[in-house]
Amino acid sequence: MSRTAVIAGNWKMHGTAAQARQLASGLAQRLGSIAKDRQVVIAPPFTSLRAAADAIHGSAIELGAQNVHWEASGAFTGEISATMLVDAGCRWAIVGHSERRLHFGETDATVGRRARAALAVGLRVIICVGETLEERDNGLTLEVVPHQIRAALLDLGPAAIRNVCIAYEPVWAIGTGRAATPAQAAEIHAKIREVVAEVADGNEAQGLRILYGGSVKPENIDSLMAQPDIDGALVGGASLDVESFARIVEF
Ligand code: PGA
């Protein structure tokens, strides 16, 4: 089955609104036309969503957020709801990034709640999973990642899963310059598809876009995308530069 590739830029906690406007409009100009077989998403910090939305208006680039809260509104100081993200121009939300799991107490259960809330208002969701170096060294990758997937997809019906992408991001590869090899990533991506076929059904699993993340660069995108089960990339550092992100989009 041919799947539309997704290339998403996770800007993390970088830049002012003015810088976001500049980067987003640089991308919109540089990527004037985007091939039909790929979708491009940028996820700036919350404070830059509006500026980025204005800058990409009329282009094929779509806006995403880096996190989302599970309640619609209420006494949740510091949180942003899914409806607020839609209002700010978002069509996507990233949930469960390993930096949130590591630094902000994100658990498999809260990842699932965030995903459900975002899907309920029509956002597409990128659910991040991945093992730590210690887990990989102890041979636990094929236990940890399926567990994260099952927990996040719990209670999501097939219709919702159609709006989900999974990002496999080995923690040891994020921001380290040491990407997984295409073969390492492909092995886990194939396993993820198997697990999704168990919890949803074969059709949903075949249509699911599984992105690789962790030190994706212009130099390694082509060999990653050549793997049958790699359907896109979640890009951190290299998404902050117009030319390098555009080259990744044009794998
Ligand atoms: P990186 O980050 O590309 O800088 O390794 C990827 C991510 O954390 O999503």
Side-chain angles (χ1 to χ4, degrees), residues 10 12 97 99 169 173-176 213-217 234-238:
N10 172 12
K12 308 195 180 185
H97 191 280
E99 286 151 17
E169 299 204 298
I174 295 177
T176 59
S215 296
V216 172
K217 304 274 181 264
L234 181 55
V235 187

Side-chain angles (χ1 to χ4, degrees), residues 13 20 57 69 81 92 96 106 133-134 170 178 188 196 212 219 221 226 242:
M13 195 174 74
H57 185 77
H69 195 256
S81 76
W92 295 75
E106 191 80 73
L133 185 57
E134 197 188 350
R178 178 187 162 204
I188 310 303
V196 174
Y212 168 77
E219 297 73 37
I221 187 67
V242 170

Side-chain angles (χ1 to χ4, degrees), residues 51-65:
D54 291 344
I56 60 177
H57 185 77
S59 82
I61 302 172
E62 298 180 344
L63 193 67

Side-chain angles (χ1 to χ4, degrees), residues 24-41:
S25 55
L27 285 170
Q29 273 165 32
R30 169 67 178 74
L31 292 170
S33 67
I34 294 171
K36 287 210 165 31
D37 62 350
R38 58 206 69 185
Q39 277 177 299
V40 179
V41 182

Side-chain angles (χ1 to χ4, degrees), residues 102-237:
L102 179 67
H103 303 301
F104 303 101
E106 191 80 73
T107 64
D108 286 332
T110 54
V111 172
R113 293 180 78 182
R114 293 181 200 281
R116 283 197 293 283
L119 290 163
V121 301
L123 289 166
R124 292 177 184 274
V125 172
I126 299 174
I127 297 174
C128 304
V129 298
E131 81 286 1
T132 62
L133 185 57
E134 197 188 350
E135 287 162 344
R136 175 160 282 260
D137 287 346
N138 288 319
L140 295 174
T141 304
L142 292 177
E143 280 175 44
V144 169
V145 173
H147 178 83
Q148 290 172 327
I149 303 272
R150 287 194 185 94
L153 300 185
L154 197 73
D155 300 335
L156 291 185
I161 290 178
R162 260 171 247 145
N163 287 322
V164 168
C165 296
I166 303 283
Y168 169 58
E169 299 204 298
V171 176
W172 46 271
I174 295 177
T176 59
R178 178 187 162 204
T181 64
Q184 280 174 322
E187 181 198 5
I188 310 303
H189 283 223
K191 179 68 187 176
I192 290 172
R193 207 175 297 288
E194 251 177 67
V195 173
V196 174
E198 281 163 32
V199 299
D201 69 33
N203 278 343
E204 264 57 56
Q206 276 313 308
L208 177 77
R209 274 86 60 83
I210 307 175
L211 322 186
Y212 168 77
S215 296
V216 172
K217 304 274 181 264
E219 297 73 37
N220 58 19
I221 187 67
D222 295 338
S223 54
L224 287 162
M225 292 305 297
Q227 300 294 320
D229 278 304
I230 300 186
D231 310 308
L234 181 55
V235 187

